[in-house]
Amino acid sequence: MMSRSFQRLALAGALASAGLMFATGPAEAGNRPAKTVPVRLLSLNDFHGHLEPPTGSSGRLVDETGATVEAGGAAYIAAHMEQLTDSNTIKVAQGDLIGATPLISAAFHDEPSVEFLGKIGITTSAVGNHEFDEGYDELKRIMYGGCHPVDGCSPAGQWKGAKYDYIGANVILKRNTGGAEKDALAALGKNTGAIRGLLRQYGVPALPPVSIRWMNGVPVGFIGLVTRTTPNIVTAEGIKDLEFVDEVKAANVASKLLKLVGVRAQVVLVHEGDQVTPGQSPDACSAQPGAGNRIATQVDAEIDMILSGHSHQAYLCTVTDPKGGKRLYSQGGSFGRVITKVDFRVDTRTRDVVRSSVVADNQVVTRTVTPDPEISQFVQTWKDRVSTVANKPIGKITADIVNTAAPSGESPLGNLIADGQLAAAKNGGNAQIALMNPGGVRASLTYASSPAGEGDGVVTYGEAFTVQPFNNLLQVVTLTGAQLKTVLEQQFPGGPNNQAFTKILQPSSNFTYSYSASAPWGSKISDMKIDGVPVTDTQTIRVAANNFLVGGGDAFAAFTEGTDVWSGPLDIDAFAAHFAANPVIAPPVPDHITVTP
């Protein structure tokens, strides 16, 4: 499956062949076409495998009139894409197209979602952090084909690979990967000294850094970027051979590479973005300057526009580049609820974007249009294939068990998941407590949400999977009492771990403690007890958590100091086993954390 050199493909495909494309392009002199030509971009971001229309708040959006409308769903995306597509259109995306997906996609390692995106004509996408959820090797399989090494082929047969390019200019191979650098540079061939010099300063791309598309006789270059915080939010083992470097630095190198092969119309596709003022029109510039704005304003002035993702917000902004020019900075929400349409013109002599011609519009993917019949059937086929797994009952609940946080930060569902992980990790892992990251609890369990629509409290595997869609591995590590206290201190901003905002870990029911919101960092946590017995600094404690946390995810760096790692079942399997052992479950009371002044 991977017999060809991946580095050769990454660089030869993205750069060397780009030079060939340039060489075979239209002549610049003696046969000049019209002064400018039109280009239209249609983009998606943060699709997260929502083939079926997303439900609840995830399926609603405030539109341009201020009304809240139902939006999203693959068949509706396809219908809107068809309406918006003209002969000048290039379709692109900004990452997190897969990962953290509903069971209809996740059960088949997101092959259905990638196939759908190919069907609607996506040509290029930046990688997002969730593209690395199952690791770098799995991403390469998704890109280039082959059956899953553990689960084998899906019901559709051998996977043929994505029909679009995944690009990531700031994803770099570590230097200790043998001859990868030499191999990659050799792939560029002769007479590429300037390119090779740039790459030696920068590093060896683990993915194609750029993609070049021709439209109306002019090349348009796309630079892929992913948030440099990716190592903090994906499992460490899967990206152990990768570095995620500063987005601005990588974009500037990639811009120079494009310029070297004659590409002046340049678009950044970046999986990083900003938060917004709630309730605004998707066409408003409601973004609050943050990590996305830093990239949008600091990347090289050669870059003409920045299409972003990651923060799941919709906005259209104009920002200033380092030379004082104006350029577009946008994002299109999430879950396929918005298609960003960008129209512009390219000067055929300079081959650069005429920035004054740029017009952008965030088009809401309403469900008032006729859904695309081919895609509707495609979704139904995969829905049928997954139904046997999804509709299997695993237990019952007596009332809604929600992931809404109490004033302490813990939630009933977070406590329940932690209790299930503790139960699953006692035998073999000798776990004494469990901690669950709140961001991994993706939905509530609803009493009236059984497949038949009856209020009987039945919980299906599909519903449980919606709660925990990451397929993380349950692990146990040994921490001292002092290290455990540090983990809990790292729930709060202000420490050396650079926690961006408060993230309260969800504790198993047998673990209690207090925290003071006003105390300085390092002195917030007190009165830790396991089964009512005070925890000392020197005692050792076996702590269960998913491998994301154990690897230091969500900026909980102290977890990486743990020793004697034990690996158990997948987190979703631990959750299902907890229901099997406790067939009827009442909502836990989230009272394990006491908040003091």
Side-chain angles (χ1 to χ4, degrees):
M1 180 177 71
M2 290 297 166
S3 59
R4 55 185 167 171
S5 164
F6 180 62
Q7 283 72 39
R8 287 182 187 277
L9 182 63
L11 289 172
L15 299 174
S17 68
L20 289 174
M21 291 173 67
F22 177 69
T24 58
E28 293 261 356
N31 186 26
R32 289 183 176 178
K35 183 179 179 181
T36 64
V37 292
V39 177
R40 171 172 290 181
L41 302 182
L42 297 178
S43 80
L44 291 170
N45 61 274
D46 298 275
F47 177 58
H48 286 290
H50 278 77
L51 295 171
E52 297 181 274
T55 59
S57 61
S58 295
R60 295 191 291 268
L61 195 78
V62 175
D63 69 8
E64 296 89 339
T65 70
T68 299
V69 299
E70 300 290 321
Y76 295 105
I77 295 171
H80 280 274
M81 279 281 191
E82 178 65 25
Q83 291 178 1
L84 295 172
T85 299
D86 64 15
S87 60
N88 310 308
T89 300
I90 303 171
K91 299 173 184 177
V92 296
Q94 292 93 259
D96 275 13
L97 305 180
I98 60 176
T101 52
L103 189 61
I104 188 175
S105 184
F108 308 105
H109 299 280
D110 286 321
E111 292 173 19
S113 292
V114 178
E115 183 177 356
F116 158 70
L117 294 161
K119 284 179 176 292
I120 63 171
I122 298 297
T123 63
T124 303
S125 177
V127 285
N129 53 283
H130 280 288
E131 264 78 17
F132 294 95
D133 278 352
E134 293 191 53
Y136 177 50
D137 287 341
E138 172 63 5
L139 173 58
K140 289 188 287 185
R141 186 190 72 85
I142 288 294
M143 292 169 68
Y144 301 119
C147 295
H148 191 272
V150 175
D151 295 335
C153 294
S154 81
Q158 180 159 318
W159 175 240
K160 296 179 175 61
K163 290 184 178 180
Y164 55 91
D165 296 337
Y166 265 125
I167 55 176
N170 67 322
V171 187
I172 305 302
L173 285 171
K174 291 182 178 177
R175 294 287 180 172
N176 61 2
T177 53
E181 180 177 20
K182 181 179 178 182
D183 187 40
L185 292 172
L188 293 170
K190 298 179 180 180
N191 303 317
T192 55
I195 293 175
R196 283 158 53 182
L198 275 171
L199 289 173
R200 284 191 175 125
Q201 297 173 29
Y202 166 66
V204 182
L207 299 166
V210 299
S211 179
I212 300 169
R213 302 291 167 185
W214 283 80
M215 179 56 63
N216 293 329
V218 295
V220 181
F222 297 94
I223 299 167
L225 301 171
V226 61
T227 173
R228 61 180 172 177
T229 68
T230 296
N232 293 331
I233 49 180
V234 302
T235 302
E237 178 64 21
I239 58 170
K240 63 184 179 181
D241 293 329
L242 307 179
E243 295 181 31
F244 294 80
V245 302
D246 180 78
E247 304 96 339
V248 173
K249 173 188 172 184
N252 291 348
V253 173
S255 176
K256 290 182 176 66
L257 292 174
L258 287 173
K259 191 173 179 181
L260 282 170
V261 294
V263 181
R264 300 296 300 273
Q266 299 183 7
V267 179
V268 160
L269 306 174
V270 56
H271 191 72
E272 181 62 279
D274 293 325
Q275 298 301 317
V276 301
T277 304
Q280 302 295 300
S281 163
D283 291 335
C285 182
S286 54
Q288 305 299 309
N293 182 271
R294 179 189 76 89
I295 297 165
T297 56
Q298 292 183 14
V299 294
D300 198 290
E302 281 284 341
I303 293 166
D304 298 293
M305 62 191 73
I306 293 87
L307 310 184
S308 71
H310 190 50
S311 59
H312 290 205
Q313 307 299 333
Y315 49 81
L316 295 175
C317 295
T318 299
V319 297
T320 303
D321 70 29
K323 291 186 177 180
K326 301 299 182 182
R327 59 187 174 196
L328 173 69
Y329 168 47
S330 71
Q331 188 176 158
S334 61
F335 307 147
R337 294 175 295 172
V338 171
I339 297 168
T340 301
K341 176 170 73 76
V342 186
D343 287 304
F344 58 95
R345 301 190 74 85
V346 178
D347 187 303
T348 57
R349 290 186 294 273
T350 66
R351 289 183 169 178
D352 208 350
V353 172
V354 180
R355 292 198 194 177
S356 61
S357 70
V358 176
V359 178
D361 186 16
N362 271 336
Q363 303 262 333
V364 178
V365 178
T366 61
R367 301 179 196 166
T368 55
V369 301
T370 302
D372 182 278
E374 178 188 350
I375 298 302
S376 294
Q377 183 56 55
F378 174 81
V379 173
Q380 186 60 50
T381 296
W382 286 102
K383 188 176 179 180
D384 292 343
R385 287 168 173 169
V386 81
S387 62
T388 303
V389 177
N391 294 335
K392 181 180 179 182
I394 62 170
K396 288 189 174 184
I397 54 178
T398 62
D400 291 354
I401 305 181
V402 299
N403 63 345
T404 305
S408 65
E410 56 184 322
S411 71
L413 188 51
N415 293 152
L416 177 61
I417 291 170
D419 284 343
Q421 291 182 347
L422 177 60
K426 278 186 175 179
N427 292 329
N430 299 315
Q432 296 169 267
I433 66 169
L435 295 170
M436 175 64 187
N437 56 308
V441 187
R442 306 296 279 194
S444 297
L445 287 177
T446 307
Y447 181 79
S449 60
S450 68
E454 302 170 356
D456 57 5
V458 170
V459 176
T460 66
Y461 185 85
E463 291 165 341
F465 189 90
T466 299
V467 171
Q468 291 192 98
F470 294 105
N471 276 320
N472 284 323
L473 195 65
L474 182 59
Q475 295 186 314
V476 181
V477 293
T478 297
L479 297 174
T480 66
Q483 289 170 331
L484 177 58
K485 181 179 182 298
T486 299
V487 167
L488 300 180
E489 292 283 346
Q490 289 177 342
Q491 297 174 124
F492 305 96
N497 58 315
N498 293 318
Q499 187 68 269
F501 49 87
T502 299
K503 294 180 182 177
I504 300 299
L505 296 172
Q506 310 294 290
S508 54
S509 299
N510 68 329
F511 179 53
T512 61
Y513 68 92
S514 298
Y515 73 78
S516 169
S518 62
W521 196 94
S523 302
K524 292 180 176 292
I525 305 300
S526 62
D527 199 27
M528 295 189 300
K529 293 180 181 178
I530 299 175
D531 295 318
V533 179
V535 173
T536 67
D537 284 349
T538 57
Q539 78 179 89
T540 57
I541 304 156
R542 295 288 285 167
V543 181
N546 58 49
N547 60 327
F548 168 69
L549 279 177
V550 170
D554 269 348
F556 287 96
F559 256 117
T560 64
E561 299 174 9
T563 59
D564 301 322
V565 179
W566 174 87
S567 295
L570 294 175
D571 53 5
I572 180 61
D573 292 337
F575 196 39
H578 193 55
F579 272 99
N582 303 275
V584 181
I585 294 177
V589 178
D591 60 357
H592 309 100
I593 303 173
T594 302
V595 182
T596 62

